[in-house]
Structure formats: structure tokens, C-alpha cells
Amino acid sequence: MSAPSPATAATAIGNAAPALPQHALPSYLQADQLGPWGIYLQQVDRVTPYLGHLARWVETLKRPKRALIVDVPIHLDDGSVAHFEGYRVQHNTSRGPGKGGVRFHQDVTLSEVMALSAWMSIKNAAVNVPYGGAKGGIRVDPRTLSRGELERMTRRYTSEIGIIIGPNKDIPAPDVNTNEQIMAWMMDTYSMNQGSTATGVVTGKPVDLGGSLGRREATGRGVFTVGTQAAHHLGMAIQGARVAVQGFGNVGGVAAKLFAQAGARVVSVQDHSGTVYREAGLDVPALLAHVAEHRGVAGFAGGEAMSRDAFWDTPCDIMIPAALEGQITLTNAGRIQARMVIEGANGPTTPEADDILSERNILVLPDVIANAGGVTVSYFEWVQDFSSFFWDEEEINARLVRVMQTAFDAIWQTAQQHRVSLRTATFIIACTRILHTRELRGLYP
Ligand code: NAD
């Protein structure tokens, strides 16, 4: 065994250790080497000057409260054993239990899950639901698994993270490549381990298992709600507006449908399989039916196929990135023709691209408010599960719109007041709320 370095040795003897620079972040949390987490840290730094006396607590936001890495071994159908890496990160629980989705994707990393969990803290505080932020994921391409393998992987993962989740501790929900069925398996696994049915442990469940009406459409509906409000501020009519959407799943598909229903022209749609374009507007219901059958937009006869890269040049008024993070970058931000970008996805715009869009006077509705509709209705679902009393869809949609509009109005006013972007304004409101509760609670012990 090699000799400990001076720093390690000093740390090992406790009181004799030289003081670390105050607030030094552990290396795995530092900004420069950590894609999405680094981006999040830069966003926190940007907002710190606006936090007044609460800035003394800001370091709380720069560290996840708890991060769990789990091995997920399963039997594949051919009898062999495969191991997957899973994560659950609880970023902050000052305002309530952790809350955030679970993602199954081959590119999932700890840095990504940490950033997504932190953005959940911000988002939940921005719409003022009583939750902290959390997120989970498994590094896997679920399309390579059979249904049986997917179920076994989901159940084993749920069992492994079962020590930190629970209806009052941390409540997962769907995200990329996870859906109502995955939530049903998660709920069942957790309930089996607990010995009683615990519907409140996840949201985004099937309605017959304590899910909420309106949950599936909630994120897209929220995107549409804040998009409409912002368009009003810009003096832009939705009727006839040209919309380009990247990602045509739960968020992008629903947002496209609602914009089309309101009279907008959805001119371009891109997903993992390809890109389709039609100047007069794509037939969105027909495209949704095509995707349901063929698992992607490629091959849709009602539009022209476009190259993946040409999507960013689409002549449009509104662009909705609703796929993955890191899509709008230094390379393509200068080419976007929209007047407004609505971030349906989490983290789709890099900070450099954000600056370019702002210089070009393109309004960005940031993820931390634009896609908060999902977690808002997740909150309604959790409340309904606890009271075992379920609301009708009309009531849910009306409450969702009210929450989103109230939050967006406050963000718009804060942005005007401080002359900052909507992203910074959302962070100002959210960080203030989180750190205020931190201060009220004080530090244990
Ligand atoms: P989904 O799995 O339903 O859909 C994802 C879509 O993105 C699919 O159409 C897929 O084909 C497309 N896609 C994947 N890789 C792509 C690529 N390289 N290029 C273009 N398109 C690609 O997922 P979702 O639930 O709609 O989530 C989309 C985004 O919205 C994610 O960033 C997620 O974190 C965020 N989000 C989702 C919710 C929710 O309630 N589902 C809530 C808030 C935020």
C-alpha cells in the first residue's frame, strides 16, 4: 500500500488537519470537469448576488444532500446476468420530500442525475409546491431489453433505492424512457417490500392505481400555458405562429398537439429517428399516430424528411427543445430563427448558447418553469393519493394553469425588476424560497 499523501494524512488525524479553503467543493462536485452539474453551478453563481443575506446559505445548493449509486443485476432472457448502474440523488429536502423523475438512457451519468436533481429543487420551489429536488436513472438503452428484462431491471432498481425513497421521503416519477407501466412496477415493488400498498411512493402511475387524470399531458400543457403567456408579452399571436419541436414524446408530442389545437403551425418535428418538415404545418394527430405505430417520426408521409442538423435553421417563431439536454450549443444558437425558445426538456441550452440567444433578443423560457407542469400535477396526484379522494380532469387542468400562470407572472416581474433573464429570475425566486426554509430550520445539530 502506498504512503498517504500529506493532505490525506493530515485529514486522518482530525483536529490537526490544516483548514481546507472555506467552502472548497470536493473534487467530484467541481464545475470545470462536470458537464450538466457544472452548468448548474454556474447558474447558482449567477444568482448569488441577488440573494441578499440568504447568500450565506448558498453553499447548501452546491452539494447534493444524498447521492446513491446502485448495482442493478438481472437475469436476461438468455439466462446470462447483466449489471446496470443506477442512481438516485436527493439534492435538497429543505422544503419537503425529494421529488423528481427516473430516466432510463444509455448516456445517464452521476453528473447528469445530480444536475437534474438540483433543477428539480429549483423547479419545485419556483411553482411553490412543498417538495425538495431529487432525480434517478439507470444507464441503459431500454430498447435493447425485452419487456420481462425491463420489468426485472425496474424492480431490482426500485428495491435497491428503496432505502431512501418513500411517500414522505422521496417520490419518483416518469422521465425519459419511463412511463406509467414503469411507475406501476415501482409502486408494486416498493409496496411488496413494505408489506402494504403505498400508492404515494411514485407519481405518474396509471389512473387505476391512484394516478391522476391529466398527469400524462401535464408537462406539455404547462409548456403551452407559459408559452402562451410569454407570447402575449411579446405581442405574438399563437394563431398562425410557426412552431418547431425537438423530441416528440410525452412533453414534445403533447405541447405540439396543444399548439396545433390553438391554431399554430407545427412546421418541423425532430426525434431520435429523424426530422420532418412541412411549411403549411404538419398534421400533428396523424404524426402522433405514425409515431405510436413506427416508434419514431421517420417515414412520415405527411412531410419532407430533413437532415438532423437542418432542424436548427427551421424558419419558425417558437422553438421547443423537448428531448435531451445540451442540444442548443455554441454551434447552432446563432442559427435559430425563433423569437422564443420554450425549454420543454431539462437543460437543453448550454450557458454559452443562452448568452447568444439573449444577445440575439430571443426570449428563453427556461426549463425550471417551462416544464414544471408535470411536477405540479404530480403534486396533485400525491395529494389525491393521501386523501384517497380524486378530482376530475377539468379541476386538475384549471388548477395547473393557475399555478403555472401565478409562477410565471412572478418570474416575469422579477426579470423586469432586476433586468435579468427569465432563467436568473426563476433561480432568484426559487433559491430565495429554498434558502429561507434552510434558515428557518437552522442547522442540525
Ligand atoms: P420521452 O421519452 O417521452 O420522449 C423523448 C423524445 O425525445 C422522444 O421523441 C425521442 O425520440 C426524442 N429524442 C431522444 N433522443 C433524441 C435526439 N438525440 N435527438 C432528437 N430527439 C431525441 O421523454 P419526455 O418525458 O417527453 O422527456 C423529454 C424531456 O423533457 C427530458 O429532458 C425530460 O427530462 C423533460 N421533462 C419531462 C417531464 C415529464 O413529465 N415527462 C417533465 C419535466 C421535464
Side-chain angles (χ1 to χ4, degrees), residues 103 105 116 123 135 143 174-178 215-216 219 246-252 270-273 295 308 322-325 327 344-346 371-372 374-375:
R103 173 175 296 197
H105 195 274
L116 290 165
K123 191 181 304 180
K135 200 84 181 190
R143 283 171 298 199
D175 190 68
V176 174
N177 292 332
T178 56
R215 171 62 187 89
R216 214 195 80 77
T219 308
Q246 187 202 40
F248 203 60
N250 181 279
V251 180
Q270 176 173 90
D271 73 0
H272 71 280
S273 70
R295 306 183 80 183
R308 180 157 288 282
L324 297 171
E325 58 264 19
Q327 297 299 302
N346 284 308
N371 67 33
V375 76

Side-chain angles (χ1 to χ4, degrees), residues 39-55:
I39 292 173
Y40 162 74
L41 288 184
Q42 289 175 32
Q43 292 167 342
V44 173
D45 286 342
R46 232 173 236 204
V47 83
T48 306
Y50 300 96
L51 298 178
H53 77 281
L54 291 173

